């Protein structure tokens, strides 16, 4: 499959990033690196660190932010999906913990996590769309949340400069007037170029090559599937892993860099949280209109990748 067409409206968005900031200058004192190297190779200037808060804490705070912004009745929510590779525990799921922290206990709520690494939020949106489409669920809370600092080796300069903690959330309802398109894939990773055991392990240059290739192909495939041209896209929200990956996608697709929303300098790579955090900040910062099309695009461990276009 890979390609899918559906409908939903984004009722609200929210995010939460922890207060504690870890700057490039701080990292200079921890590993053999420099602010200049990190900024020029990645675009990252600082990242947030959860400092004791859990993934479900961050996810709950992002969800509350989304609920408050729309003055939304939390009791309407009957589906909770969390995309994460850093759950608090192996079980229960972060989604069930968020449910408890929000005080949602009416019968009939389904809550579960998915792990598709940095593409997780796009996978979760596709699952939520299908479940709303079935008519069995009316209101979906979809969250990307990570505390990556707990699987970070702060002695490994190859990885520790790249990642940060955070969470983003959206509330979705079915709406036949708003089209959503998906182009989603996974290719497996026989060589394990990106995996997490105690810590994150990564062959940076190989991930870089993979990412640059699939951002372009995911967006091209999506546009072809939806008969879209670039003029129809209000903004592209890419997974925030490396500014150079985003710049190479902009060049390959011949879409100006200004059309890509970028906040990597503030948060680094927050994996499944990066796209929903950026979506929320984009909607806060930029004037948008009903019917604007937004394209989300991600890639990550798995190797997973995919793109999605939403109608505001
Ligand atoms: N500070 C200083 N030097 C460093 C650092 C650092 N923090 N990290 C690596 N280096 C060194 C390397 O050791 C190497 O030194 P050498 O030439 O003496 O061996 C040199 O810098 C160049 O290393 P490269 O790996 O070639 O650097 P590159 O320009 O490729 O950038 C980077 C590395 C930033 C990791 C890049 O490859 C990248 O962004 N890859 C993609 C990462 C990514 O997106 N990961 C997330 C995927 S999503 C998910 O699911 C988690």
């Amino acid at each position: 499959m890979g390609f899918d067409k559906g409908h939903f409206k984004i009722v609200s968005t929210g995010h939460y990033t922890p207060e504690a900031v870890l700057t490039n200058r701080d990292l200079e004192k921890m590993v053999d690196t420099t602010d200049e190297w990190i900024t020029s190779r990645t675009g990252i200037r600082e990242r947030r660190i959860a400092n004791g808060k859990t993934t479900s804490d961050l996810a709950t705070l992002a969800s509350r932010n989304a609920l408050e912004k729309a003055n939304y009745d939390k009791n309407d929510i009957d589906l909770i999906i969390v995309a994460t590779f850093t759950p608090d525990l192996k079980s229960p799921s972060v989604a069930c913990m968020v449910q408890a922290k929000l005080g949602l206990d009416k019968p009939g709520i389904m809550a579960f996590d998915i792990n598709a690494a940095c593409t997780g939020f796009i996978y979760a949106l596709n699952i939520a769309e299908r479940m709303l489409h079935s008519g069995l669920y009316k209101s979906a809370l979809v969250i990307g949340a990570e505390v990556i600092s707990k699987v970070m080796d702060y002695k490994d300069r190859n990885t520790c400069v790249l990642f940060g903690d955070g969470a983003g959330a959206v509330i979705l309802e079915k709406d036949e007037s708003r089209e959503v398109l998906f182009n989603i894939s996974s290719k497996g990773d026989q060589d394990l170029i990106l995996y997490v055991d105690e810590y994150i392990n990564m062959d940076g240059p190989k991930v870089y090559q993979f990412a640059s290739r699939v951002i372009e192909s995911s967006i091209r495939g999506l546009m072809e599937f939806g008969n879209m041209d670039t003029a129809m896209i209000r903004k592209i929200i890419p997974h925030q892993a490396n500014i150079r990956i985003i710049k190479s996608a902009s060049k390959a697709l011949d879409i100006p860099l200004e059309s890509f929303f970028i906040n990597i300098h503030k948060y680094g790579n927050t994996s499944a949280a990066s796209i929903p955090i950026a979506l929320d900040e984009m909607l806060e910062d930029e004037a948008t209109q009903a019917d604007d099309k937004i394209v989300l695009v991600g890639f990550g461990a798995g190797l997973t990748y995919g793109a999605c276009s939403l109608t505001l």
Side-chain angles (χ1 to χ4, degrees):
M1 218 201 26
F3 293 106
D4 191 17
K5 187 180 287 194
H7 300 89
F8 61 58
K9 73 172 169 206
I10 299 178
V11 179
S12 189
T13 61
H15 78 275
Y16 175 78
T17 52
E19 292 80 23
V21 177
L22 182 67
T23 65
N24 292 351
R25 295 274 181 222
D26 296 328
L27 284 161
E28 283 180 352
K29 296 178 202 135
M30 297 159 69
V31 286
D32 181 15
T33 192
T34 60
D35 173 42
E36 197 282 327
W37 191 97
I38 303 170
T39 308
S40 63
R41 297 292 179 111
T42 71
I44 302 166
R45 293 186 180 279
E46 56 188 44
R47 65 289 293 139
R48 302 297 177 91
I49 302 297
N51 263 351
K53 282 200 174 75
T54 64
T55 302
S56 67
D57 291 334
L58 271 52
T60 304
L61 288 160
S63 304
R64 287 211 179 105
N65 183 234
L67 287 164
E68 279 160 18
K69 272 199 228 173
N71 203 12
Y72 195 80
D73 184 353
K74 65 181 184 179
N75 295 306
D76 286 346
I77 293 167
D78 52 9
L79 173 64
I80 305 171
I81 307 177
V82 177
T84 186
F85 77 94
T86 53
D88 301 13
L89 298 169
K90 286 182 177 148
S91 185
S93 66
V94 175
C96 289
M97 291 179 173
V98 170
Q99 176 184 8
K101 287 178 184 182
L102 290 176
L104 302 177
D105 61 359
K106 71 171 184 195
I109 295 176
M110 187 184 275
F112 60 93
D113 292 356
I114 65 138
N115 176 350
C118 304
T119 324
F121 184 72
I122 296 178
Y123 271 56
L125 285 182
N126 198 177
I127 296 165
E129 192 286 322
R130 287 278 113 194
M131 293 179 75
L132 292 173
H133 180 81
S134 74
L136 297 173
Y137 300 89
K138 304 267 178 266
S139 169
L141 174 61
V142 181
I143 304 165
E146 305 284 9
V147 174
I148 304 180
S149 54
K150 71 184 177 190
V151 290
M152 210 69 269
D153 178 359
Y154 284 103
K155 293 191 185 71
D156 178 7
R157 69 176 185 176
N158 291 301
T159 53
C160 75
V161 302
L162 302 175
F163 295 91
D165 303 334
V170 297
I171 300 168
L172 309 175
E173 288 179 4
K174 188 170 164 178
D175 181 338
E176 292 296 341
S177 71
R178 289 179 167 89
E179 190 177 73
V180 194
L181 304 175
F182 293 94
N183 174 16
I184 290 187
S185 287
S186 171
K187 76 182 281 292
D189 180 12
Q190 222 174 1
D191 302 324
L192 278 184
I193 65 170
L194 180 54
Y195 68 95
V196 187
D197 47 17
E198 189 185 355
Y199 298 124
I200 292 186
N201 301 272
M202 184 176 69
D203 182 333
K206 280 197 180 145
V207 175
Y208 186 97
Q209 282 163 19
F210 161 75
S212 305
R213 188 163 43 77
V214 299
I215 288 201
E216 182 191 354
S217 64
S218 300
I219 293 180
R220 279 199 197 285
L222 188 78
M223 285 170 47
E224 214 169 286
F225 174 59
N227 215 2
M228 291 157 61
D229 64 55
T230 49
M232 295 163 81
I233 302 173
R234 174 75 183 74
K235 208 86 186 178
I236 297 175
I237 301 179
H239 170 46
Q240 312 280 318
N242 187 322
I243 188 74
R244 290 188 298 146
I245 295 176
I246 299 171
K247 283 182 178 166
S248 89
S250 150
K251 203 167 158 205
L253 289 159
D254 197 21
I255 298 176
L257 194 59
E258 299 69 53
S259 297
F260 289 76
F261 186 82
I262 296 166
N263 63 2
I264 190 170
H265 50 288
K266 297 193 286 185
Y267 306 126
N269 180 348
T270 57
S271 191
S274 95
I275 291 174
I277 293 172
L279 174 63
D280 186 41
E281 288 201 337
M282 193 277 286
L283 293 174
E284 277 174 359
D285 292 358
E286 300 198 9
T288 52
Q289 295 175 357
D291 292 338
D292 274 352
K293 275 203 190 309
I294 307 292
V295 168
L296 316 180
V297 62
F299 54 86
L303 297 161
T304 56
Y305 56 104
C308 160
S309 81
L310 310 167
T311 314
L312 291 182

